[in-house]
Amino acid sequence: MQFEAPTAPAPAPSPTVIAVRALCEFTAKAGDVDLRFTPSPTAEQGMAGHRIVAARRADGYRSELRVEAPHGHLLVRGRIDGYDTARRRLEEIKTHRGDLARMPANHRALHWAQAKVYGWLLCRAEGLRELDIALVYFDIDTGVETSLIERFDADTLRAFFERQCDGYAAWARQEAAHRARRDDALSHLGWPLGEFRSGQRDLAKAVFNAARSRRRLLAQAPTGIGKTMGVLFPLLKAAPGQGLDKVFFLTARTPGRQLALDAVVQLRAHAPRLPLRVLTLVARDQACEHPGRACHGESCPLARGFYDRLPAARAEAVDELSAGADAVRTVAQHHRVCPYYLAQDLVRWADVVIADYNYWFDLGGLLHALTQAHQWRIGLLVDEGHNLVARGRSMYSATLEPARLGAALAAAPAASKRALQRLRRQWSALVREQSQPYTCSASPPKAFVAAVQQTAAALGEQLAGEPAEVDPAFLRFHFDLLHFMRVHERHDENWQFDATLDAPADVPRSRGAPSATLCLRNVVPAPVLRERFAAAHCAVVFSATLAPARFYIDMLGLPDDTATLAIVCPFNPAHLQVRIARHISTRHADRAASLDALVALVTDQYARAPGNYIAFFSSFDYLQQVADRLALRHPGITLWRQDRSMAEAQRAAFLDRFQPGSQGIGFAVLGGVFGEGIDLPGSRLVGAFIATLGLPQVNAANEAMRRRMDALFGDGWRYTYLHPGLQKVIQAAGRVIRGPQDRGVVHLIDDRFARQDVCEVLPAWWRLDER
């Protein structure tokens, strides 16, 4: 199979196109990182603010005016927010919240730079000799406009434009040369692993074709065939022909990120001169060198003068990324800049970015925002895509907890306490008459939403004036309020609002303190996910468990023309014994009675075939009960257990117990960190016991979700309980067979595994043995 686009004559050199915003962010940013002027409006609020301002203008006002101009090998493009032809006034509109006087000076300088570049583009297009330029700041909360107006002649604007272009020209030539080298190298890149594994060629071909046809692909491929290389290599091969600017490899967990990095290492070992810049993004708390300090120059030394030192740090960092080192922290330390914000800048110059789902799919996802701003053409790879349903719901839900409100009140300065107390009163009034432990409605009361918005604005004003350190509890609750407002802006029939009492309904409640956790809960993440998938040139969602495909297409918002692929398991089915223990019930009411039978099953299997096993349970309590009973009855069997809270080192120690030639049983919770994304090949793991169907708990919240699924898809039980539960079972069972030589056994422990509706969802290649 060839991964080559049809040959064509080499195109004539084309100019480097750059947006006005991108140009000015490169040339006109200076001074400190400073995030105190918050809360900033969302993209949706910004667009709405622009429309309000435009609607206030007189006839002849022109909005979203496209302009462009060349300079050397650059072509600068953009859209002017508004132009009043009668007054010859260009308007650069910026939405904001809070006291405008607190906006950092370097923010306003950047806005003027953008406005003046637009000014020259307009003068050139309209043949103007002079022009009024207005920075129009629109407060989305009050509707108040503040205009800063200056008059410029065309020569002054042209000179400013040319200085910005000259400041970017050398870097643009460097980037154009890198892009040409990269695309040439990718065009000639060969498959790095010798022979394709069984099924790997079909996967690679489907990814390559999805990129060429600009489609979405849902690819189910079994563990052990090399999915990571099978998706990354063909998308990189397609990049030159499809004009892809970047590939974003998105993961749900840290192990997936490492697998992507390992694949890049293999590519570079095969092609040492491959000029591929690879960047890994990590969370702020992992990257931060000064935890507890606020992100501005008066608090953090790495934020002070960040943009002044950024050019030198950027130049060194891109060379390191091309050489194969993800050395952001080392470069940042050398140049005394923040590694987190350096990495964010490097996204613009990277070819492959490896990051968590939230960097693209979150409502404020950095990668998505940059893609929209720069109009990049993106190839999207979504690893372990079955996780995106639950992660999507989590990202698009917003929870407010009484304990966090209390902590914020305790830490709040006097000026902010009044706003927090007003919110507390609204919150308490909302739940005071609640007689049930859980209530659910379509949306939160308008009065409560208004209180949240007012409190968020008040806390934002306080934070904007904070000169140094900020109490973490105060800041965290502020972020909770902002997220609640962002989710509320998207709220429709795919969300529900629920209140869960923190104490029994018959316990008297104080009139002052709220006693319920409030959640604006996403039920179906498809509407937001659909927008994110549509923003990519092509997207591949891949996993070992993506069946039934219709469920994931519905829940992920994938279009109806999504291509689907299900790779047949390449391993000998006889190598995996799958046994159903239909004489045992693991239902909650039956767990105490199941302990002896469970211990007997586990120890009988262990006696017949000693080795390393892992046992999965529905809860930590059930896990402890079985482990304690087994330890008491069979003290000679080595056991180790997952704890409720395990640090990275403790997780590694848990997995290190699974060594070739060793014997013992690890106890873990299904759906936790050991249920997927771990690799224990050969004799490191010879079997698994799965003592649960993994079904979500039947409670008021999930029943409300089931009713919504019934209305949307006509099959609420499967969509809410069965498919999400069995996905975790299949993932856990997939830990046993990791390669063609592996052999093992999986015990499915519950009589319900023998039901037809359950068996229909289990992998077709499993040979079920009911005992």
Side-chain angles (χ1 to χ4, degrees):
M1 181 185 67
Q2 297 296 315
F3 291 104
E4 304 293 345
T7 58
S14 57
T16 298
V17 178
I18 185 168
V20 170
R21 176 177 172 178
L23 173 67
C24 294
E25 285 182 344
F26 187 90
T27 61
K29 269 192 171 181
D32 302 349
V33 169
D34 194 339
L35 304 182
R36 287 176 291 180
F37 192 65
T38 56
S40 58
T42 64
E44 291 81 6
Q45 290 172 329
M47 290 186 289
H50 280 59
R51 289 193 294 269
I52 292 171
V53 172
R56 293 174 174 178
R57 300 300 185 254
D59 292 343
Y61 187 82
R62 298 157 67 185
S63 299
E64 297 293 313
L65 186 61
R66 293 177 179 269
V67 286
E68 66 179 36
H71 181 77
H73 65 285
L74 295 180
L75 180 61
V76 181
R77 286 178 174 169
R79 292 184 183 182
I80 295 172
D81 291 333
Y83 177 48
D84 187 328
T85 54
R87 293 190 291 179
R88 290 190 179 179
R89 176 182 295 174
L90 179 150
E91 294 189 333
E92 175 71 3
I93 303 169
K94 301 294 182 183
T95 56
H96 74 98
R97 276 175 163 150
D99 184 359
L100 196 60
R102 290 178 172 173
M103 175 181 285
N106 61 342
H107 288 204
R108 185 161 296 160
L110 177 61
H111 298 162
W112 272 119
Q114 294 172 2
K116 288 192 284 186
V117 169
Y118 280 126
W120 163 244
L121 298 181
L122 183 62
C123 285
R124 180 181 181 275
E126 301 286 328
L128 304 177
R129 292 185 177 182
E130 63 179 11
L131 180 69
D132 283 347
I133 296 180
L135 284 183
V136 180
Y137 290 102
F138 177 77
D139 189 320
I140 63 167
D141 292 328
T142 65
V144 173
E145 293 181 33
T146 303
S147 296
L148 308 178
I149 305 170
E150 290 190 33
R151 177 164 295 182
F152 297 90
D153 62 74
D155 290 340
T156 300
L157 293 173
R158 184 184 67 244
F160 182 84
F161 169 81
E162 290 174 349
R163 285 197 302 273
Q164 308 314 302
C165 292
D166 291 342
Y168 183 70
W171 185 269
R173 283 191 292 269
Q174 170 189 297
E175 290 304 292
H178 166 75
R179 177 66 173 264
R181 290 193 304 271
R182 185 204 76 172
D183 285 354
D184 181 66
L186 290 177
S187 297
H188 294 91
L189 183 65
W191 177 249
L193 302 179
E195 295 294 324
F196 282 96
R197 297 180 189 178
S198 179
Q200 200 174 36
R201 178 189 294 269
D202 292 336
L203 176 61
K205 183 178 180 180
V207 173
F208 188 77
N209 288 337
R212 289 205 301 181
S213 59
R214 301 193 62 173
R215 295 179 70 186
R216 319 302 119 175
L217 170 65
L218 192 70
Q220 177 174 277
T223 298
I225 72 163
K227 292 193 292 293
T228 303
M229 185 64 80
V231 298
L232 181 60
F233 170 80
L235 192 54
L236 289 173
K237 285 292 293 182
Q242 295 303 308
L244 295 184
D245 297 298
K246 302 176 190 301
V247 170
F248 293 158
F249 193 107
L250 306 177
T251 70
R253 301 171 186 262
T254 302
R257 189 169 66 201
Q258 187 58 51
L259 288 173
L261 288 171
D262 291 344
V264 171
V265 169
Q266 290 176 310
L267 284 172
R268 284 179 165 145
H270 175 72
R273 296 185 178 181
L274 178 64
L276 195 68
R277 296 174 181 166
V278 180
L279 173 69
T280 302
L281 295 179
V282 299
R284 186 188 312 219
D285 58 353
Q286 292 177 275
C288 184
E289 299 281 6
H290 296 282
R293 290 184 177 269
C295 294
H296 57 78
E298 294 178 46
S299 176
C300 178
L302 300 184
R304 189 179 309 123
F306 174 87
Y307 292 110
D308 301 328
R309 297 188 295 276
L310 176 61
R314 175 198 292 137
E316 181 179 344
V318 294
D319 288 340
E320 292 295 317
L321 297 182
S322 294
D326 191 1
V328 173
R329 185 178 293 275
T330 301
V331 173
Q333 289 173 340
H334 179 238
H335 291 274
R336 295 179 296 113
V337 297
C338 171
Y340 179 72
Y341 289 105
L342 175 60
Q344 291 196 359
D345 181 83
L346 292 174
V347 170
R348 297 164 173 81
W349 323 112
D351 302 308
V352 177
V353 179
I354 302 168
D356 185 86
Y357 287 170
N358 68 283
Y359 277 94
W360 179 265
F361 292 109
D362 189 83
L363 291 175
L366 171 74
L367 296 180
H368 178 260
L370 288 175
T371 297
Q372 297 296 98
H374 296 277
Q375 294 298 294
W376 290 330
R377 184 170 287 195
I378 294 300
L380 208 59
L381 297 174
V382 183
D383 185 25
E384 300 292 359
H386 61 274
N387 285 305
L388 189 54
V389 177
R391 283 290 301 276
R393 284 176 176 152
S394 176
M395 286 186 285
Y396 310 143
S397 297
T399 300
L400 296 177
E401 300 177 8
R404 289 200 174 186
L405 170 60
L409 258 170
S416 300
K417 283 188 182 293
R418 184 174 298 177
L420 287 166
Q421 288 166 345
R422 283 197 301 267
L423 175 63
R424 185 174 65 175
R425 288 193 293 271
Q426 283 285 347
W427 195 330
S428 297
L430 189 153
V431 300
R432 188 174 299 128
E433 305 305 321
Q434 185 172 331
S435 59
Q436 299 299 318
Y438 173 90
T439 60
C440 177
S441 59
S443 59
K446 291 182 179 179
F448 180 76
V449 174
V452 170
Q453 185 172 2
Q454 292 164 6
T455 307
L459 268 57
E461 285 291 299
Q462 179 69 42
L463 290 167
E466 201 60 43
E469 297 185 9
V470 177
D471 187 280
F474 184 81
L475 185 62
R476 184 168 55 243
F477 189 67
H478 176 58
F479 288 151
D480 288 346
L481 297 178
L482 295 181
H483 184 57
F484 188 94
M485 293 307 304
R486 282 194 294 268
V487 171
H488 187 263
E489 289 168 14
R490 300 300 304 258
H491 171 265
D492 60 16
E493 67 274 10
N494 294 292
W495 276 262
Q496 62 191 32
F497 179 68
D498 54 53
T500 305
L501 293 179
D502 296 341
D506 56 354
V507 173
R509 276 162 268 167
S510 165
R511 292 184 61 86
S515 58
T517 296
L518 308 178
C519 184
L520 193 51
R521 191 181 307 277
N522 178 255
V523 176
V524 181
V528 186
L529 294 176
R530 182 180 298 113
E531 296 173 5
R532 294 298 195 260
F533 281 118
H537 173 83
C538 61
V540 179
V541 181
F542 62 101
S543 171
T545 50
L546 285 175
R550 186 71 253 172
F551 169 76
Y552 287 100
I553 289 173
D554 287 341
M555 297 305 294
L556 300 181
L558 294 168
D560 288 336
D561 69 346
T562 295
T564 59
L565 175 72
I567 302 293
V568 177
C569 180
F571 309 132
N572 186 341
H575 286 188
L576 179 67
Q577 302 175 55
V578 183
R579 299 175 180 173
I580 298 176
R582 62 184 308 163
H583 64 288
I584 298 176
S585 168
T586 64
R587 296 169 180 85
H588 190 272
D590 300 330
R591 287 175 189 169
S594 72
L595 298 180
D596 288 339
L598 247 172
V599 169
L601 185 153
V602 171
T603 54
D604 286 350
Q605 173 63 42
Y606 187 84
R608 286 196 306 271
N612 290 320
Y613 292 83
I614 188 166
F616 292 100
F617 299 87
S618 54
S619 68
F620 282 100
D621 289 340
Y622 197 22
L623 178 158
Q624 296 292 359
Q625 292 172 23
V626 177
D628 288 346
R629 185 71 58 95
L630 196 153
L632 179 66
R633 301 278 179 85
H634 303 273
I637 297 178
T638 301
L639 305 180
W640 56 99
R641 315 179 192 196
Q642 177 184 357
D643 293 331
R644 291 181 185 273
S645 179
M646 298 180 78
E648 201 69 39
Q650 293 172 308
R651 296 178 188 177
F654 182 95
L655 294 176
D656 284 343
R657 302 289 294 270
F658 296 89
Q659 292 298 323
S662 65
Q663 297 178 4
I665 305 173
F667 283 68
V669 171
L670 189 72
V673 294
F674 303 118
E676 61 178 272
I678 62 171
D679 194 21
L680 301 170
S683 62
R684 292 186 66 188
L685 185 68
V686 299
F689 306 97
I690 305 175
T692 173
L693 272 72
L695 305 181
Q697 184 181 11
V698 177
N699 56 31
N702 284 333
E703 281 298 281
M705 185 179 296
R706 180 186 61 78
R707 291 190 292 272
R708 180 66 194 141
M709 295 297 182
D710 267 331
L712 286 172
F713 308 114
D715 202 343
W717 161 253
R718 288 176 180 267
Y719 273 51
T720 306
Y721 295 103
L722 188 63
H723 295 325
L726 292 185
Q727 167 258 307
K728 291 182 283 188
V729 171
I730 298 168
Q731 276 289 324
R735 302 312 97 201
V736 177
I737 300 294
R738 309 296 294 176
Q741 306 306 317
D742 288 357
R743 293 173 179 268
V745 61
V746 172
H747 287 270
L748 304 177
I749 306 172
D750 193 284
D751 60 281
R752 290 168 292 176
F753 279 113
R755 283 184 359 201
Q756 182 178 350
D757 61 335
V758 173
C759 291
E760 288 173 351
V761 182
L762 299 178
W765 67 277
W766 284 7
R767 296 180 177 178
L768 301 178
D769 178 9
E770 299 181 20
R771 299 191 177 188

